[in-house]
Amino acid sequence: MNNISRVAVVIAALLPASVLAQSIKGVVLNNQGKAVANATVDLEGSDQKVTTNDKGEFEISGLNNGLKELHISAPGYAHLHRDITLANDQDHSATFNLKRSPIEVIDVEATPIHMSAMESASPVSVLSGEQLRRQQASTLGDSLEKLPGVNTNFHAKVASTPVIRGLSGPRVLITQNGLDVSDVSRVGPDHSVASEASTAQQIEVLRGPATLFYGSGAIGGVVNVVDSRVPTDSTTRGEWNLEHNSVDEQKVASFNATTGAESFAFYADAFWRESDDYEVPVAADIDDTEHSSKYVVENSNEDSDGFTVGTSYLFEQGYLGVAVEQFNRQYGIPGHTHGEEEEHDHEEEHSEEEAVFADLEQTKVQLLGEYNIDSEWLSKINLRAGHTDYEHAEIEHGAVGTTFKNETNELRVDILHSQFDEWNGGVSFHYKKSDVEAQGSEAFTPPSVTESIAFAIMEEKHFGDFLVQLGGRVERVTIDANNVLLPEIDAHAHDEDGDEHEESNYTRVFDVAQEFTPISLSTGVVWDFTPGYNLGLSVSRSERAPSASELLSFGPHIGTATYEVGALFDTHDGHFELSEEAIDLETANNIDLTFRKTEGDIGFIFNAFYNQVDNYYYQINTGLYAESGHDHDHGDEHNHEEEHDHSSELPVYLFKTDDVILHGFEAQVAWQLTDEFKVDLFSDYVRARLKDGGDLPRTPPLRFGTEFSYQTENLTANIHVTRYQEQDRIAQEETTTGGYTLVDASISYDLSVLNQDLSLYLKGTNLTDTEARVHSSFLKDIAPRPGRSFALGVRGYF
């Protein structure tokens, strides 16, 4: 070896690996051989991500020898995975061809491993972009109900939560940027979700158990609202929107904006919404329509506003930022009034003192961060922390009747390792503490503190044409309440003679301390058995700790018109006592089978699922009645010797457990006929039944529909038709809900004014003015869907 060679070897030994590392250079093209600009190229198992230029070119540098997995994505195209082996210290050049996909493929952001509708073993959906803006409504459940497998528990347009495959409430977790939204919407259907769709970037839905990522409260699925409140870059951009809707005279204004300079980024958003009682095609039971030419659902008005400000510090390895949100909402609670007009006032509207409405306030602080580590062992650390202070007062007769509070602290840390033997993944630590309190006449659940600590592991690896995903999670959940009440009430069947029933004032007070250890396991496989097609199989076993309301409730819940009694109690001869049955974990054994066509002019996703849930907590009608606890004002004095008025009584519902089976399907087909015309077809169905016979209540019916879309450079038009079949598989005390067809349409035109990109749009909903009652709604008999409505708006981008 000559002297020059020796010097070269010494220098090479002293130089850092990055100086000698290779690079991957490439160009991304479509089927016509044209460059795909702004395509994203990810090096899986690392923090490296680049974007193609106008010529479709990119370069990833600083790579060592070995196998590298690239993930390439672009709007309107199927995602592409490509393995490249670097050897002999040489750079690598390649051409990548993306194929069109009529089904938009968008990555889920709030999971530590890669997930999308076309590539993961578990079924997911993402609503974003123009589709999100077109479908957004004033409530979260109504915004998502056109997604396959997702319905709404429509609560008179003032509140709604998503129903995923027949499950909702404490089984479906709603999060904001991966952290619990921390309201009380899971306690009752009349409680609004404290999250806003008009300022969201995208909304993600994980169908089926998502307990690995979010804990036992996600045994039925997760809805994650994603926004940019903690910005990850300093590029100046934003949008604003103004809209007016005819069905309730709703007026909406919203904006969001991101900007920054050098290492600092800033974000702000705000929204304002105001609406009157909404019109319906038929008379509702609670209407006074004698002197009105229009039918409306009384007390369904709303007045909401909120704002968010955030900032972050950007550095080479990631970012760290904080955001503060103030969310305010006042809305009426239909069917929830405690007084009637005097006879001479029947022509007047209900006074504000007689109408019951909710006054919601929430302050949320989120700390989000990401640190990319270039080491042999670790790849990335994700940090999510939040504090939420929620208060929701129900105003009755002009005074606060009941106040609900929820103070939540949450911390989530994901530690992702560097690629090890081609495995990508990591571990997650999750802590959450919720202090929930209700005070007042409808405080049917005592104050309680729920605390959980969890550890999870998630891994995935490609084995040729197979993608394998594995995961496990163990939790410790405690529920503590030191003021649990067991009143000595007289629960009775209705008597024909109308006898009075005295109620004792005696109440037992005791402490409750419950501890649970839910364990969840999941495995999934995706097989790309031929180009453009794949099969997915996901098997999971998930456990859920019952919620405090399911265990400890004891009192009137006017939002559901029931007297609720928790599973901690039992009834004997019309009297309630502590139950002798063990409080068990709810356990779901779920299988998902997915068949997908991922590219070409026709794409489809077919999901079939089977979910057996043991120890399923649900409410049964005991056949007994109890006093609601309210003094109803009928406008005059009543003699106590008159016949007993049963209108102040509520049916008693008791939380019990049983084994249930839920199975069904979701189907989605998209056909891009031409560059302008596209047709989408969808259908979904869930059968929810007790294992030993009988049906679960408020299960959404079979539905199917289609959407026709026409899009040019400036014009976009859509017609959406959905058929809801009759639901006659009903639980005891339920009634059959008739089928109906909804027709919606929208048209928008894009233009530029003074260098401002604008979009003018017109949306029509329920164009046939059809009477439509939502079977999964507690108010289906008194609050049908809104009638024909038109929304006119303008949206701007910068």
Side-chain angles (χ1 to χ4, degrees):
M1 180 180 293
N2 58 35
N3 292 334
I4 296 178
S5 299
R6 291 190 180 94
V7 172
V9 171
V10 172
I11 293 175
L14 295 175
L15 287 175
S18 59
V19 175
L20 302 176
Q22 305 96 69
S23 64
I24 298 176
K25 299 178 181 179
V27 58
V28 180
L29 307 175
N30 61 19
N31 282 346
Q32 288 75 39
K34 297 181 180 180
V36 179
N38 296 317
T40 300
V41 183
D42 284 289
L43 181 64
E44 295 193 18
S46 78
D47 64 313
Q48 297 201 52
K49 177 188 298 185
V50 297
T51 303
T52 58
N53 59 22
D54 292 339
K55 298 180 180 180
E57 299 170 337
F58 72 90
E59 180 178 358
I60 300 178
S61 58
L63 304 178
N64 297 319
N65 290 337
L67 180 67
K68 308 300 176 185
E69 298 182 21
L70 296 184
H71 176 247
I72 305 172
S73 60
Y77 295 92
H79 289 198
L80 176 66
H81 288 268
R82 178 74 65 83
D83 290 347
I84 295 176
T85 301
L86 296 180
N88 302 323
D89 297 329
Q90 294 181 350
D91 295 340
H92 186 93
S93 298
T95 299
F96 304 89
N97 293 101
L98 296 183
K99 297 184 179 180
R100 184 163 65 174
S101 172
I103 298 179
E104 192 72 23
V105 184
I106 304 170
D107 288 339
V108 173
E109 293 195 3
T111 56
I113 62 174
H114 175 245
M115 297 184 73
S116 71
M118 286 297 194
E119 299 163 296
S120 56
S122 300
V124 301
S125 298
V126 179
L127 193 62
S128 69
E130 291 303 313
Q131 186 183 14
L132 171 59
R133 297 294 173 245
R134 189 169 63 248
Q135 296 183 14
Q136 73 184 35
S138 57
T139 60
L140 185 62
D142 297 349
S143 298
L144 299 175
E145 67 167 329
K146 290 183 179 179
L147 292 177
V150 183
N151 285 265
T152 175
N153 71 347
F154 181 82
H155 201 80
K157 203 173 179 291
V158 297
S160 72
T161 55
V163 180
I164 300 179
R165 293 179 169 180
L167 300 176
S168 61
R171 296 176 181 86
V172 173
L173 182 63
I174 300 173
T175 62
Q176 186 100 28
N177 298 313
L179 297 172
D180 195 339
V181 73
S182 301
D183 51 26
V184 293
S185 61
R186 307 174 87 190
V187 175
D190 57 326
H191 300 161
S192 177
V193 177
S195 185
E196 178 60 27
S198 66
T199 56
Q201 171 186 331
Q202 66 184 44
I203 303 178
E204 306 163 350
V205 178
L206 281 66
R207 301 192 296 273
T211 53
L212 291 181
F213 309 108
Y214 296 97
S216 68
I219 198 170
V222 164
V223 174
N224 182 47
V225 181
V226 180
D227 58 30
S228 302
R229 63 181 57 197
V230 174
T232 59
D233 64 74
S234 57
T235 304
T236 298
R237 63 185 181 277
E239 64 175 295
W240 55 267
N241 184 61
L242 299 172
E243 180 180 304
H244 178 270
N245 196 310
S246 63
V247 77
D248 55 1
E249 298 301 324
Q250 177 179 263
K251 296 172 281 293
V252 180
S254 65
F255 87 93
N256 65 79
T258 302
T259 188
E262 296 181 350
S263 297
F264 292 93
F266 304 95
Y267 172 86
D269 72 37
F271 78 96
W272 169 79
R273 181 186 296 106
E274 183 179 270
S275 66
D276 298 332
D277 297 343
Y278 72 88
E279 299 174 7
V280 292
V282 295
D285 293 349
I286 59 174
D287 290 344
D288 178 15
T289 59
E290 181 180 352
H291 304 279
S292 175
S293 60
K294 294 182 178 180
Y295 301 135
V296 298
V297 175
E298 298 284 357
N299 204 29
S300 60
N301 54 303
E302 174 200 355
D303 189 357
S304 301
D305 62 80
F307 68 89
T308 305
V309 291
T311 184
S312 58
Y313 175 69
L314 311 175
F315 49 94
E316 185 176 354
Q317 292 84 14
Y319 68 92
L320 180 66
V322 64
V324 180
E325 176 193 16
Q326 180 64 42
F327 184 94
N328 309 301
R329 191 160 191 245
Q330 287 189 354
Y331 61 95
I333 304 179
H336 189 349
T337 56
H338 304 310
E340 298 180 3
E341 302 158 311
E342 296 184 13
E343 292 183 5
H344 63 276
D345 290 333
H346 274 309
E347 295 185 7
E348 299 179 2
E349 295 182 357
H350 291 287
S351 70
E352 291 185 3
E353 289 189 352
E354 289 172 336
V356 178
F357 66 94
D359 188 357
L360 185 161
E361 294 184 6
Q362 178 175 270
T363 302
K364 182 188 297 289
V365 181
Q366 288 193 340
L367 175 69
L368 308 178
E370 177 183 297
Y371 185 74
N372 296 291
I373 305 172
D374 186 14
S375 75
E376 181 180 358
W377 299 104
L378 297 181
S379 168
K380 182 189 298 185
I381 297 177
N382 292 326
L383 169 68
R384 302 176 190 270
H387 170 78
T388 304
D389 191 359
Y390 173 95
E391 184 172 322
H392 159 195
E394 294 188 357
I395 313 299
E396 309 177 20
H397 303 291
V400 175
T402 306
T403 300
F404 297 88
K405 296 181 180 180
N406 184 356
E407 184 175 347
T408 299
N409 294 294
E410 187 172 8
L411 172 66
R412 181 174 163 187
V413 180
D414 300 325
I415 303 175
L416 307 182
H417 62 74
S418 299
Q419 193 174 76
F420 175 75
D421 193 25
E422 301 181 33
W423 285 96
N424 296 313
V427 297
S428 178
F429 170 81
H430 191 188
Y431 170 80
K432 182 165 61 175
K433 181 179 181 181
S434 297
D435 189 345
V436 179
E437 178 183 351
Q439 295 180 346
S441 57
E442 293 178 22
F444 58 93
T445 301
S448 63
V449 176
T450 301
E451 189 174 20
S452 64
I453 300 177
F455 177 82
I457 182 170
M458 292 143 283
E459 296 288 338
E460 67 175 12
K461 179 180 179 178
H462 282 92
F463 294 87
D465 294 330
F466 293 88
L467 169 65
V468 176
Q469 296 178 326
L470 304 173
R473 180 184 179 106
V474 59
E475 290 183 77
R476 177 182 176 271
V477 180
T478 60
I479 300 176
D480 294 296
N482 56 14
N483 193 30
V484 178
L485 306 180
L486 175 54
E488 184 66 27
I489 66 169
D490 178 31
H492 55 272
H494 272 168
D495 295 330
E496 295 182 0
D497 58 6
D499 290 340
E500 292 275 357
H501 294 274
E502 296 283 338
E503 184 171 317
S504 170
N505 292 325
Y506 175 72
T507 300
R508 292 175 57 190
V509 182
F510 55 95
D511 297 340
V512 170
Q514 294 282 336
E515 181 176 332
F516 306 93
T517 308
I519 298 175
S520 298
L521 300 171
S522 177
T523 181
V525 178
V526 180
W527 177 27
D528 296 313
F529 61 93
T530 192
Y533 294 83
N534 66 44
L535 281 172
L537 175 66
S538 176
V539 180
S540 64
R541 177 181 174 84
S542 305
E543 294 181 328
R544 180 180 76 92
S547 66
S549 60
E550 290 172 313
L551 288 182
L552 310 177
S553 294
F554 206 115
H557 188 180
I558 308 301
T560 60
T562 61
Y563 195 102
E564 292 192 2
V565 179
L568 200 65
F569 311 101
D570 207 345
T571 180
H572 179 70
D573 293 334
H575 294 276
F576 286 91
E577 55 193 25
L578 288 176
S579 174
E580 296 181 357
E581 296 184 7
I583 303 300
D584 294 323
L585 289 167
E586 187 175 280
T587 304
N589 299 282
N590 188 81
I591 299 176
D592 262 285
L593 181 63
T594 304
F595 177 39
R596 294 175 283 220
K597 185 177 186 297
T598 62
E599 59 191 47
D601 292 333
I602 297 178
F604 57 72
I605 304 174
F606 298 142
N607 295 317
F609 64 90
Y610 182 91
N611 190 8
Q612 178 176 319
V613 186
D614 299 331
N615 299 316
Y616 181 91
Y617 286 83
Y618 72 110
Q619 292 174 298
I620 62 169
N621 190 336
T622 63
L624 303 175
Y625 289 80
E627 290 289 336
S628 67
H630 283 287
D631 295 327
H632 289 251
D633 179 14
H634 296 283
D636 56 0
E637 295 292 333
H638 284 271
N639 192 307
H640 289 290
E641 296 180 358
E642 292 181 5
E643 182 178 347
H644 182 59
D645 181 12
H646 290 309
S647 64
S648 64
E649 293 184 336
L650 297 174
V652 178
Y653 277 75
L654 176 66
F655 277 97
K656 300 290 286 184
T657 60
D658 210 332
D659 297 341
V660 305
I661 295 175
L662 302 99
H663 58 89
F665 68 86
E666 298 121 12
Q668 180 182 3
V669 180
W671 183 12
Q672 192 78 49
L673 286 84
T674 68
D675 289 339
E676 294 81 20
F677 284 99
K678 179 182 173 183
V679 177
D680 288 275
L681 304 171
F682 84 96
S683 181
D684 56 24
Y685 172 74
V686 59
R687 175 81 167 92
R689 58 186 175 86
L690 297 172
K691 189 175 182 180
D692 295 330
D695 298 290
L696 291 180
R698 289 175 293 281
T699 301
L702 168 69
R703 64 175 180 171
F704 48 87
T706 184
E707 183 177 51
F708 301 91
S709 303
Y710 175 79
Q711 184 172 7
T712 64
E713 184 176 352
N714 298 105
L715 181 68
T716 302
N718 302 84
I719 299 177
H720 195 284
V721 182
T722 306
R723 172 63 186 176
Y724 291 79
Q725 293 293 88
E726 177 188 54
Q727 180 58 287
D728 56 4
R729 296 183 180 275
I730 55 178
Q732 186 181 9
E733 305 298 327
E734 271 196 305
T735 57
T736 299
T737 302
Y740 53 89
T741 302
L742 295 180
V743 180
D744 303 332
S746 66
I747 185 170
S748 65
Y749 186 78
D750 299 334
L751 67 160
S752 180
V753 178
L754 301 177
N755 295 322
Q756 170 77 61
D757 293 329
L758 299 179
S759 178
L760 303 176
Y761 63 88
L762 174 66
K763 296 190 295 185
T765 306
N766 193 7
L767 293 178
T768 57
D769 208 27
T770 297
E771 176 187 353
R773 300 184 184 272
V774 181
H775 185 76
S776 52
S777 171
F778 279 89
L779 297 183
K780 74 165 188 173
D781 293 328
I782 63 174
R785 290 180 184 268
R788 183 187 296 113
S789 67
F790 295 96
L792 180 64
V794 57
R795 184 175 295 113
Y797 303 89
F798 58 89

